[in-house]
Amino acid sequence: MSTATKHLDHLRSCIIREDLIRAKSHGFSDRQLANLWDSDEWVVRALRKELGVTPVYKTVDTCAAEFEAHTPYHYSTYEAETEAFRSDRRKIMILGGGPNRIGQGIEFDYCCVHASFALKEDGFETIMVNSNPETVSTDYDTSDKLYFEPLTAEDVLAIADFERPDGAIVQFGGQTPLNLAHDLERGGLRIVGTSPNSIDLAEDRKKFGTLIHELGIKQPENGTATSVEEAVSVAETIGYPVLVRPSYVLGGRAMAIVYDRDALVSYMADAIDASPERPILVDRYLQNAHEFDVDTVADSTAIVIGGIMQHIESAGVHSGDSACVLPPYAISDDNLETVKAHTHALARALGVVGLMNVQYAIQDGEVYIIEVNPRASRTVPFVSKAIGVPLAKVAARAMVGLTLEEQGFTKEVDIDHIAVKEAVLPFNKFPGVDTLLGPEMKSTGEVMGIDNDFGISFQKAQLGAGVRLPEEGTVFISVNDRDKPAVLDICARLSDLGFRLIATQGTQEHLASSGIPAERIFKIREGRPSILDEIKNQNISLMINTPAGEEARSDDHQIRRAALQYGVAYTTTLAGASAVVSAIESMVKEQTVRIRSLQEFHTAIAPAP
């Protein structure tokens, strides 16, 4: 007799139907009851169904009884009568992202909404399951039916038992529904698109490592750890610095770059708390690498790359915080072909049907894979708008059996314009928080700048994000030692544009030794007037400040916070600084910025009839 059967027999002997109804009506989930009864949630689920203890669905009348409501929405409760009506139409259930939070938000909701629109147009009854009122997917007229329910296996399966959909889409709501895929399949719900086994293959570090080894794709040296001792062993084998993060989490939560053993030991407690049931991932950190995002859509036979974006910031800054450029602006033809070939090979090997996102890093001409997500990514809305193809709609139709050829999307779109995505960061809402970017995502939105010139596109993106770049004035520069050689070109370009340069002692001496005129300014602790005084007196137009060491961290923090408070444009990466200078150069050259709609850009790239 199996353990599950023994547990079920035990519960049958001591739990009566009335007790179970009372527990469920008080809000206890199957998992909570299983924990209290020293059992398993699937056993509790089996007992509930055996005893006929299932939720009913009440209706919220969106017309307040004034008219017949054709778009009501529903919520579950444990009562006697259900008010929801089940039709005999073909149905697809779409799982949303649940509560919005940094790392999972409106981008995924965009994908869910587009999937619903596309499938409604194709004759399916669309059933949206989500619990967040601050989203478009939970607008009562987005889908045919809306269930305002938590994103848990128990709640989703209960809806599936009532509605009996032809399938469910888990790819579009981000990591939350993706994590449910195996449990939903175990509960009898058909997952359309990429299979849960393929999803797990991409998420499981060891399985995925084996796969890419077979495909001949390079990956930074890495390992997994479930304890401090294992993490230290892996890091010392790989060599510091290392990038450490929990698996199966959102937005780079609890992700960090650590440079020594002490920092790793202190990190591990938080990481284990963030993902207690999953291993911690430890990767060699690729310093000064360029990072790329690739969004792909596939059916059962064909694969088409939607877009390849290059991050402006170097690898190590979370993809959600980095400014990005489409098409990529600094990649060799050989590396570009390698990225495309790897992406096609991965999509085939994983059996992707729908969307897939791949992140690469290129260091010293070598292409490394960072991670693969067999789902919609936060970049899908940006790429879709940049190329004029609604990728989420295309993917949704592919997931229910319509081929890419039948949809007329058979090759990568070649665009003439340049689209720049910039992150919108909430630092001004959080007094005292440092504005440094890193592997943990901090942005809460994004904007697009689009033009035929990179500099103008970047400048438009900055304006959209609330940053006004200067065309004249004083630039303050303070960079760490490893950035000093690379900052020379940036400073020379600023000097040629007529900007006055001021710098802290080490940076100023390095600039002067290279023939670039710059004046010395005091650090905060060196005397007055200091750079902090100059910022407060609004004498600084632009600031370039890359993090130094522990000793300078306090001064740097105060300077960056002051720049934010007094509205000074600033950047904390040299890649970002170079893009800023390109934007200023284009502004000085063009003088005026042309405004064109997305439709005008798309018309320019549309094939002639």
Side-chain angles (χ1 to χ4, degrees):
M1 184 181 293
S2 70
T3 303
T5 303
K6 289 179 181 178
H7 277 289
L8 184 56
D9 286 342
H10 172 70
L11 290 183
R12 284 189 186 121
S13 67
C14 59
I15 303 297
I16 61 174
R17 187 172 186 272
E18 288 70 21
D19 290 338
L20 198 49
I21 292 174
R22 186 179 302 110
K24 298 303 290 184
S25 65
H26 278 79
F28 284 87
S29 67
D30 288 352
R31 181 172 293 186
Q32 288 172 314
L33 292 175
N35 182 59
L36 292 170
W37 295 340
D38 195 24
S39 185
D40 176 87
E41 67 174 305
W42 293 97
V43 173
V44 176
R45 171 179 165 81
L47 178 65
R48 273 200 307 104
K49 298 187 77 170
E50 184 180 294
L51 296 177
V53 180
T54 56
V56 299
Y57 294 96
K58 297 299 184 182
T59 298
V60 176
D61 185 350
T62 52
C63 294
E66 186 174 358
F67 308 103
E68 181 182 357
H70 296 287
T71 53
Y73 60 93
H74 309 288
Y75 64 94
S76 67
T77 186
Y78 278 83
E79 293 183 5
E81 182 183 8
T82 190
E83 296 173 356
F85 171 77
R86 184 177 63 81
S87 75
D88 294 326
R89 294 172 57 194
R90 292 186 304 165
K91 303 180 184 68
I92 293 293
M93 178 186 289
I94 301 167
L95 304 190
N100 276 3
R101 50 199 178 274
I102 292 177
Q104 175 163 338
I106 211 67
E107 301 91 347
F108 296 118
D109 202 61
Y110 165 100
C111 293
C112 291
V113 169
H114 273 234
S116 182
F117 288 166
L119 297 179
K120 282 175 72 174
E121 291 167 6
D122 293 355
F124 285 90
E125 180 178 345
T126 56
I127 301 168
M128 186 70 66
V129 182
N130 205 355
S131 59
N132 188 348
E134 296 296 328
T135 59
V136 181
S137 67
T138 52
D139 285 357
Y140 56 80
D141 55 355
T142 292
S143 301
D144 292 303
K145 295 179 83 171
L146 167 64
Y147 283 87
F148 213 86
E149 292 288 283
L151 272 298
T152 68
E154 176 184 340
D155 292 287
V156 173
L157 288 173
I159 298 168
D161 289 343
F162 175 75
E163 289 285 355
R164 296 192 291 241
D166 295 272
I169 293 177
V170 300
Q171 280 190 23
F172 291 162
Q175 196 69 44
T176 298
L178 208 69
N179 288 348
L180 300 177
H182 270 297
D183 283 347
L184 297 180
E185 189 176 56
R186 177 179 175 179
L189 181 57
R190 175 175 171 246
I191 306 299
V192 298
T194 307
S195 73
N197 284 336
S198 291
I199 293 169
D200 187 58
L201 175 57
E203 294 279 4
D204 186 290
R205 177 56 62 94
K206 291 182 180 178
K207 294 178 184 177
F208 183 67
T210 301
L211 172 66
I212 62 170
H213 179 73
E214 293 171 355
L215 295 175
I217 299 174
K218 291 183 178 180
Q219 186 180 34
E221 293 91 335
N222 64 81
T224 59
T226 55
S227 67
V228 174
E229 293 75 18
E230 288 181 5
V232 170
S233 175
V234 171
E236 290 179 350
T237 301
I238 292 172
Y240 293 98
V242 292
L243 184 68
V244 284
R245 62 192 173 99
S247 52
Y248 287 86
V249 298
L250 295 161
R253 186 167 67 93
M255 187 186 296
I257 300 166
V258 297
Y259 291 85
D260 54 50
R261 186 183 188 280
D262 290 342
L264 179 60
V265 170
S266 112
Y267 162 87
M268 283 298 292
D270 290 338
I272 292 171
D273 285 344
S275 185
E277 299 175 356
R278 306 286 186 180
I280 305 303
L281 311 180
V282 185
D283 298 82
R284 178 169 69 87
Y285 173 50
L286 299 175
Q287 299 188 73
N288 300 317
H290 294 286
E291 195 166 339
F292 298 81
D293 258 279
V294 183
D295 281 312
T296 303
V297 64
D299 61 24
S300 56
T301 59
I303 301 154
V304 178
I305 290 176
I308 301 175
M309 299 188 306
Q310 181 170 356
H311 296 200
I312 289 178
E313 280 77 18
S314 300
V317 173
H318 193 280
S319 60
D321 289 348
S322 177
C324 295
V325 184
L326 188 155
Y329 67 101
I331 183 174
S332 69
D333 290 341
D334 287 345
N335 283 161
L336 185 60
E337 289 307 311
T338 299
V339 164
K340 292 180 179 181
H342 285 352
T343 302
H344 278 260
L346 285 163
R348 290 192 193 96
L350 291 170
V352 171
V353 177
L355 290 169
M356 178 182 78
N357 172 264
V358 192
Q359 294 175 24
Y360 297 96
I362 298 179
Q363 184 189 57
D364 300 328
E366 294 288 344
V367 177
Y368 297 88
I369 189 165
I370 303 299
E371 67 176 349
V372 175
N373 293 304
R375 57 164 170 81
S377 75
R378 63 179 54 84
T379 53
V380 166
F382 173 81
V383 173
S384 298
K385 291 174 184 178
I387 67 173
V389 177
L391 295 177
K393 284 188 172 183
V394 173
R397 291 184 166 117
M399 293 164 76
V400 297
L402 198 63
T403 67
L404 298 182
E405 185 175 5
E406 289 171 327
Q407 297 185 61
F409 186 56
T410 57
K411 63 180 182 179
E412 186 177 349
V413 178
D414 186 18
I415 62 176
D416 295 324
H417 54 267
I418 297 168
V420 174
K421 182 211 85 172
E422 181 58 279
V424 177
L425 297 155
F427 296 131
N428 60 335
K429 304 292 185 183
F430 300 97
V433 172
D434 200 344
T435 60
L436 275 180
L437 300 179
E440 185 164 359
M441 185 174 168
K442 298 174 182 177
S443 69
T444 51
E446 61 186 44
V447 295
M448 174 193 283
I450 185 167
D451 201 275
N452 297 107
D453 174 83
F454 168 73
I456 295 297
S457 296
F458 187 84
Q459 190 250 355
K460 287 180 176 179
Q462 296 307 303
L463 284 173
V467 177
R468 186 172 292 275
L469 300 178
E471 295 184 42
E472 59 183 5
T474 299
V475 180
F476 166 66
I477 307 108
S478 180
V479 298
N480 60 50
D481 288 342
R482 64 178 177 271
D483 287 335
K484 281 174 181 158
V487 83
L488 294 176
D489 176 66
I490 293 168
C491 291
R493 291 161 64 192
L494 286 167
S495 183
D496 290 343
L497 287 166
F499 283 90
R500 170 181 171 241
L501 306 184
I502 63 172
T504 50
Q505 182 177 359
T507 303
Q508 187 270 334
E509 290 174 352
H510 185 75
L511 295 176
S513 67
S514 302
I516 299 173
E519 303 167 27
R520 182 188 169 190
I521 184 77
F522 285 140
K523 296 179 181 179
I524 295 173
R525 300 178 185 181
E526 290 178 338
R528 304 191 65 176
S530 70
I531 180 54
L532 194 59
D533 296 317
E534 292 295 285
I535 292 172
K536 290 180 178 180
N537 292 332
Q538 300 184 354
N539 294 328
I540 305 298
S541 302
L542 174 67
M543 187 178 86
I544 300 170
N545 174 232
T546 63
E550 292 292 336
E551 295 179 3
R553 181 168 294 178
S554 176
D555 278 9
D556 288 348
H557 182 159
Q558 290 184 66
I559 292 168
R560 288 189 290 266
R561 285 301 309 182
L564 182 67
Q565 182 179 352
Y566 290 94
V568 177
Y570 70 92
T571 177
T572 60
T573 66
L574 289 193
S578 180
V580 165
V581 176
S582 294
I584 295 172
E585 288 170 338
S586 294
M587 289 159 55
V588 170
K589 178 181 177 182
E590 296 289 336
Q591 294 298 316
T592 59
V593 175
R594 293 183 303 158
I595 304 300
R596 297 167 64 193
S597 67
L598 273 175
Q599 288 82 356
E600 290 177 274
F601 283 103
H602 295 161
T603 300
I605 63 174

